[in-house]
Amino acid sequence: MDDLRFLLVYGLLAGVLFASIRKALHDPKLDSIPTVGSSGFLSSYRDALRFFHHAPELIQRGYDQYPDGIFRIARLFRWEYVVAGPRLIKDIAGAPEHVISFTEGVAESIQTKYTMGRDIAENHYHQQAIRTSLTRNLHACFPDVRDEIICAFDDVLQLQGSEWKSVTVVPSMMAIVARVSNRLFVGLPLCRNKAYLANNVEYTVDVIRSAGRIGLFPPFLRPLIGPFISGHMKSFRTAIKFVGPILEERLKKEEELGPDWPGKPNDLISWLLEIAEGEQRTVNALALRILSTNMAAIHTSSLTFTQALFDLTTHPEYFLPMREEAERVVKEEGWTKAALNNMVKIDSFFRESQRVNNFGPLGMSRKVVAKEGFRFSDGTVLPQGAYLSVAARATHYDDSKYENATTFDGFRFSRERTEHMEHHDPGNNQDIFKHHMISTAVDHLPFGTGKHACPGRFFAATELKAMMAHLVINYDVEAEVKGVRPPDRVFGTRISPNEAGKVRIRKRQ
Ligand code: HEM
């Protein structure tokens, strides 16, 4: 047995003991919340282990019984309180951070302290740069995004003549998304440096993998074993090696010429420097922020594109309508960010793909941090320390919210959008974006909803739609095996597209 396996087994046993003691001391007030599976002293551990491979079914079972309520499911070292229904999801969406904490919820799901470091876990100032400067600059930076998409597809796919090529989608899309994103984060030429990009992709994969492993240990062991499992320190050092000289130069320029020096690049480095304060204005601290933004951007966007591509090749009837739309819009308006707004079929296709292929059965993970707990509008109170999340996938698969909810209907939202605009009151613009990819709602949760809804979604939608338009105009694609979608991988709260899944691509004939 190697060291890691020994530690895993040891951690598991220690955890059962630890959690048994904790459970024995559990809060009886919470017994009124129904349990899906067993709530018995040891039998609930059988369910906690089943959760690893059957979480979607367990949560669906809870949702079917309590579609507008809260139920709980055993996890290895705690209960997961699962919230369903618009009213209670709205309660979470609007709750302040000092009552139920997004940061603490993420700290549990991706073990931020050990996988990304304490500084990132405790200070989130870079999110402000994503929310404001990155989003505001999407129009101005679009020509760069477009340019990088063209070059990245060429370089990564390496297609010759008219031949079909089988392409493994996840690594190819990670490489393309990493490159396109970094065109806006650090600019040319670093955004094309293979070793720099590989470090960002490896870091992204390492965070998710290490978080899963660390989570197998009981909380009291995590500070001891976390640093040995996570490879983040190596990724930090590599990131500093590549981005360090650019950061040094930028800091020097600002010192000599002031914050608005002529020719200052319009990129993430500049947007961070506009708001970074004190000890955040160092090469190491800034390199860490850039690496973390890569982590938030690469994994989510590349897996979203992968799922959409699997959907497209399994439902090839959508291909030509999307090609026709992209060609027509580009002919009329050129390649601009505004033109993407008129690619309503492509937008709808992504929104539907995200609805059907949510990254997991749960979303919006939070921890109750207020001493007095959190009272939902139906009177249920969760105490301080409780972990909660939303039954996102079951919500998306609910026939009362979406007609034929379990069926993939790529143009569902473009049809609804057209109908909506036909009956739209021109004096009321409130719901104008309701069916767009970037719109969040209590029944549409791929980006979460409310206070912590993903601030990168405007960039993600721009990047992904521009990539899809480029793909359908310039390439032909088909499934590796006709009609067969590579099966998703399910582990605990994660559902990921098949990492070995392939599609066939050739240059457009
Ligand atoms: C299709 C791609 C993406 C998906 C599906 C996605 C999804 C999400 C989700 C589900 C959340 C948590 C919401 C919640 O718990 O309420 C989130 C948060 C976040 N995302 Fe994204 N994301 C994507 C792309 C991006 C990109 C490109 C960036 C950065 C450029 C980014 C940066 C962030 C940040 C900083 C947060 C934390 C927000 C906060 O603390 O308030 N995301 N994202």
Side-chain angles (χ1 to χ4, degrees), residues 200-238:
N200 284 300
V201 171
E202 274 159 30
Y203 174 68
T204 301
V205 173
D206 178 71
V207 169
I208 304 293
R209 194 179 39 217
S210 310
R213 288 180 178 170
I214 295 168
L216 290 175
F217 288 84
F220 69 90
L221 280 181
R222 291 175 192 167
L224 295 178
I225 53 99
F228 295 103
I229 291 182
S230 159
H232 74 274
M233 288 311 291
K234 183 170 160 264
S235 305
F236 287 175
R237 285 192 293 272
T238 310

Side-chain angles (χ1 to χ4, degrees), residues 92-93 97 102-103 106 124 126-128 130-131 134 177 181 185 268 292-305 354 358-359 363-366 437 445-461 463-464:
I92 300 178
E97 180 68 15
F102 167 88
T103 308
V106 175
H124 313 117
H126 64 292
Q127 294 176 7
Q128 198 189 322
I130 297 167
R131 192 166 280 120
L134 173 63
V177 166
S181 308
F185 296 170
L268 181 66
S292 304
T293 310
N294 266 282
M295 150 67 201
I298 295 175
H299 190 254
T300 47
S301 303
S302 54
L303 299 194
T304 298
F305 196 88
Q354 287 189 291
N358 208 58
F359 286 158
M364 298 177 72
S365 298
R366 307 283 189 268
M437 183 182 170
L445 301 158
F447 292 114
T449 191
K451 282 187 193 308
H452 292 284
C454 174
R457 67 190 189 279
F458 303 95
F459 170 53
E463 180 180 49
L464 295 177

Side-chain angles (χ1 to χ4, degrees), residues 70-112:
I70 303 177
F71 54 94
R72 63 178 184 170
I73 292 196
R75 305 291 304 272
L76 276 185
F77 310 113
R78 59 180 170 85
W79 290 104
E80 181 87 46
Y81 293 90
V82 183
V83 178
R87 175 172 161 195
L88 304 186
I89 295 177
K90 218 178 253 171
D91 291 344
I92 300 178
E97 180 68 15
H98 67 273
V99 178
I100 54 174
S101 168
F102 167 88
T103 308
E104 292 292 322
V106 175
E108 175 67 10
S109 55
I110 61 168
Q111 299 295 331
T112 333

Side-chain angles (χ1 to χ4, degrees), residues 77-299:
F77 310 113
R78 59 180 170 85
W79 290 104
E80 181 87 46
Y81 293 90
V82 183
V83 178
R87 175 172 161 195
L88 304 186
I89 295 177
K90 218 178 253 171
D91 291 344
I92 300 178
E97 180 68 15
H98 67 273
V99 178
I100 54 174
S101 168
F102 167 88
T103 308
E104 292 292 322
V106 175
E108 175 67 10
S109 55
I110 61 168
Q111 299 295 331
T112 333
K113 250 190 282 173
Y114 316 112
T115 56
M116 301 178 80
R118 214 167 260 282
D119 193 26
I120 294 292
E122 287 168 6
N123 181 339
H124 313 117
Y125 86 91
H126 64 292
Q127 294 176 7
Q128 198 189 322
I130 297 167
R131 192 166 280 120
T132 55
S133 306
L134 173 63
T135 305
R136 251 190 251 131
N137 278 294
L138 285 176
H139 277 281
C141 295
F142 188 76
D144 288 344
V145 171
R146 167 78 187 131
D147 179 53
E148 207 53 48
I149 287 174
I150 300 171
C151 306
F153 267 80
D154 271 354
D155 289 350
V156 172
L157 298 180
Q158 297 270 333
L159 299 181
Q160 308 292 335
S162 61
E163 304 226 325
W164 285 100
K165 181 176 177 184
S166 279
V167 172
T168 313
V169 183
V170 170
S172 307
M173 291 312 139
M174 285 214 174
I176 293 175
V177 166
R179 191 163 146 173
V180 176
S181 308
N182 274 282
R183 179 74 182 256
L184 292 200
F185 296 170
V186 298
L188 283 167
L190 188 58
C191 72
R192 294 186 184 171
N193 181 312
K194 286 204 168 82
Y196 167 74
L197 294 177
N199 186 54
N200 284 300
V201 171
E202 274 159 30
Y203 174 68
T204 301
V205 173
D206 178 71
V207 169
I208 304 293
R209 194 179 39 217
S210 310
R213 288 180 178 170
I214 295 168
L216 290 175
F217 288 84
F220 69 90
L221 280 181
R222 291 175 192 167
L224 295 178
I225 53 99
F228 295 103
I229 291 182
S230 159
H232 74 274
M233 288 311 291
K234 183 170 160 264
S235 305
F236 287 175
R237 285 192 293 272
T238 310
I240 291 164
K241 191 178 98 191
F242 285 110
V243 82
I246 303 177
L247 293 169
E248 251 167 49
E249 175 73 20
R250 294 285 188 90
L251 285 164
K252 200 167 126 215
K253 277 253 167 66
E254 269 212 27
E255 211 175 275
E256 283 167 9
L257 306 167
D260 288 318
W261 47 279
K264 183 172 92 165
N266 202 13
D267 61 14
L268 181 66
I269 302 178
S270 297
W271 305 327
L272 287 174
L273 280 171
E274 279 163 18
I275 51 175
E277 285 174 355
E279 58 194 26
Q280 294 298 337
R281 299 181 68 80
T282 63
V283 167
N284 287 7
L286 288 162
L288 185 55
R289 295 289 147 180
I290 292 167
L291 191 60
S292 304
T293 310
N294 266 282
M295 150 67 201
I298 295 175
H299 190 254

